Amino acid sequence: MSVRKKRLILLAGVALGALGGLVAYTQQSKPLDPFEEAMRQREMYLETFGILPGELYVAEGEELFHRKGPSGRTLEACDFGKGPGVIEGVYALLPRYFPDSGRVEDLESRVYTCMQTVQGYKPQEVKREEVRAITFYIASKSSGARIQVVPKHPKEIAMYNLGRELWYTRAGPRDMSCAVCHERYAGQRVRLSPVMSPRQGLGREWPAYRFEEDAFYTFEDRIDFCYESIGIPKPEFYSEVHIALTTYILAEATKAGHSFLELPFFTR
Ligand code: HEC
């Protein structure tokens, strides 16, 4: 798709956002279920543009995936877990241990690593927005896939244990932990939103486009959103905190037999 066409669609998206606001205003007497509301917005996007914002973003990620870096190589030379060039289903297996970097990596940190080691970018040249778009593209190839994060390597097991510890650690000005909300209040609603525990499938809908924020969120972005909401400074992208929590949450989702929803998801 041409850049011009994308711009037109994005511009129209702004107009539609305003329209959505109007609709929300006129209907405010009756609070909508957040999932029904998301489905309604999704239908509106499809009817108006014939394409979802997440699909445009995936197309952007695909272009970046095939762009040559300073080394002359594209991300096709990166091993995401099933060998170089294979991206089908890899998101469902991550985080996992990679011998070449000596680290347990989630998809986002793996993209960040390969843009440096394979493509030759300097760390400061790797743009977060590009990693995000590429993550959307690769994750879209695991849409509906069964989540299969089973820590086996000692470093994977250590990462899982760290994630579990972080999950239960109370911190910040409100002395909160992830578990306080996501387990004690699991199945209930916090500000209209149903709260889930990892065993109930927390994490199976990311990466996603959030229409309320008009923004694209990866799983690391989503974790940051919760950290911010309890007044704890966001951890660095690609850091152990993100990877450990992701390992813990998705390993628990694996035990409960969950699959990813349609990726990238469309949500509020
Ligand atoms: C103050 C309560 C609270 C705390 C503490 C909290 N969360 Fe959340 N979290 C929520 C709510 C509410 C939602 C759903 C919000 C929505 O749908 O927009 C959510 C959503 C999420 C999601 C996305 C779930 C999905 O599938 O839609 C993830 C992932 C998440 N939280 C991770 C964490 C992690 C990791 C921590 C600890 C660092 C944490 N949360 C701490 C309230 C909390």
Side-chain angles (χ1 to χ4, degrees):
M1 182 180 305
S2 73
V3 172
R4 201 179 121 76
K5 183 153 179 223
K6 274 191 215 167
R7 283 222 186 94
L8 272 176
I9 292 177
L10 289 177
L11 267 178
V14 174
L16 188 70
L19 184 71
L22 191 67
V23 172
Y25 176 76
T26 51
Q27 295 189 340
Q28 79 190 164
S29 50
K30 171 172 138 257
L32 276 167
D33 176 275
F35 286 107
E36 280 174 22
E37 173 64 2
M39 284 308 119
R40 211 174 58 84
Q41 294 275 349
R42 189 179 181 279
E43 285 316 305
M44 252 165 67
Y45 260 95
L46 276 177
E47 274 169 28
T48 316
F49 309 116
I51 192 161
L52 294 169
E55 294 172 31
L56 289 173
Y57 205 52
V58 162
E60 216 173 297
E62 184 172 7
E63 268 171 41
L64 292 167
F65 184 88
H66 294 289
R67 178 187 67 185
K68 283 184 183 154
S71 72
R73 293 201 283 177
T74 73
L75 280 173
E76 282 162 294
C78 175
D79 178 4
F80 288 99
K82 287 185 168 184
V86 185
I87 56 172
E88 212 69 45
V90 293
Y91 185 55
L93 308 176
L94 297 173
R96 52 154 282 184
Y97 174 73
F98 287 91
D100 58 16
S101 64
R103 291 184 72 202
V104 177
E105 305 204 61
D106 64 3
L107 179 57
E108 298 171 60
S109 89
R110 190 62 187 161
V111 170
Y112 180 69
T113 297
C114 282
M115 285 179 78
Q116 295 168 66
T117 57
V118 173
Q119 294 199 280
Y121 291 105
K122 296 192 181 75
Q124 67 273 20
E125 289 171 339
V126 180
K127 298 194 186 92
R128 173 64 190 159
E129 309 85 75
E130 294 187 351
V131 175
R132 188 182 282 120
I134 295 165
T135 299
F136 266 66
Y137 168 57
I138 298 173
S140 75
K141 303 283 183 194
S142 293
S143 188
R146 180 84 177 247
I147 303 171
Q148 286 178 57
V149 177
V150 183
K152 286 197 200 87
H153 187 279
K155 288 202 175 177
E156 291 168 350
I157 293 167
M159 206 50 116
Y160 171 89
N161 289 335
L162 175 63
R164 188 177 50 196
E165 202 180 312
L166 288 167
W167 181 258
Y168 288 103
T169 303
R170 301 178 75 118
R174 289 166 61 194
D175 193 34
M176 288 292 255
S177 70
C178 316
V180 168
C181 283
H182 284 276
E183 282 172 36
R184 190 175 304 163
Y185 300 124
Q188 298 184 33
R189 282 165 186 256
V190 173
R191 274 185 252 107
L192 265 186
S193 298
V195 185
M196 279 191 289
S197 72
R199 293 274 179 131
Q200 288 173 328
L202 181 74
R204 68 203 162 127
E205 60 194 48
W206 307 90
Y209 169 73
R210 297 187 62 191
F211 70 85
E212 269 188 356
E213 310 272 324
D214 186 25
F216 300 103
Y217 274 55
T218 63
F219 201 54
E220 291 201 8
D221 296 320
R222 190 62 190 80
I223 289 173
D224 283 0
F225 193 81
C226 271
Y227 265 119
E228 276 192 314
S229 74
I230 50 175
I232 300 178
K234 295 192 283 191
E236 296 257 307
F237 286 120
Y238 326 122
S239 64
E240 277 216 321
V241 173
H242 278 123
I243 297 166
L245 279 169
T246 304
T247 303
Y248 173 70
I249 293 169
L250 295 181
E252 292 299 300
T254 302
K255 288 179 198 165
H258 288 289
S259 299
F260 285 114
L261 301 181
E262 185 190 319
L263 301 182
F265 202 62
F266 186 104
T267 190
R268 68 189 280 273

